[in-house]
Amino acid sequence: MDNIEKWSSMATITDYLDVSRETILQWINHRNMPAHKVGRLWKFKISEVDEWIRSGGAADKTSLEK
């Protein structure tokens, strides 16, 4: 069974999580959000992002969002 997950764009992830691009960039830089740079673009695997969230990666520690 070849069930290969597609890479998702920044726009897809911001929509999926209902957060801003700036929040995603802060999570990448400060909370080890799983993301991969392809050229100048950030790409994501939704399964990796879901696992990161479930493990507490996006938990509101000191509120990075203004």
Side-chain angles (χ1 to χ4, degrees):
M1 185 187 327
D2 258 351
N3 222 358
I4 298 173
E5 181 182 359
K6 287 185 175 182
W7 289 98
S8 297
S9 67
M10 175 68 81
T12 300
I13 291 296
T14 58
D15 186 53
Y16 181 70
L17 298 177
D18 194 26
V19 296
S20 70
R21 182 178 191 278
E22 290 71 30
T23 296
I24 298 293
L25 292 173
Q26 287 189 349
W27 286 349
I28 292 167
N29 290 323
H30 301 293
R31 298 189 183 178
N32 297 318
M33 181 180 193
H36 306 272
K37 200 88 185 245
V38 180
R40 298 178 63 204
L41 304 174
W42 284 104
K43 296 293 181 177
F44 307 84
K45 294 277 188 175
I46 288 180
S47 62
E48 292 177 359
V49 172
D50 281 344
E51 179 56 35
W52 174 77
I53 289 171
R54 283 190 193 100
S55 70
D60 189 8
K61 296 176 182 122
T62 55
S63 188
L64 293 176
E65 235 183 302
K66 296 180 172 122

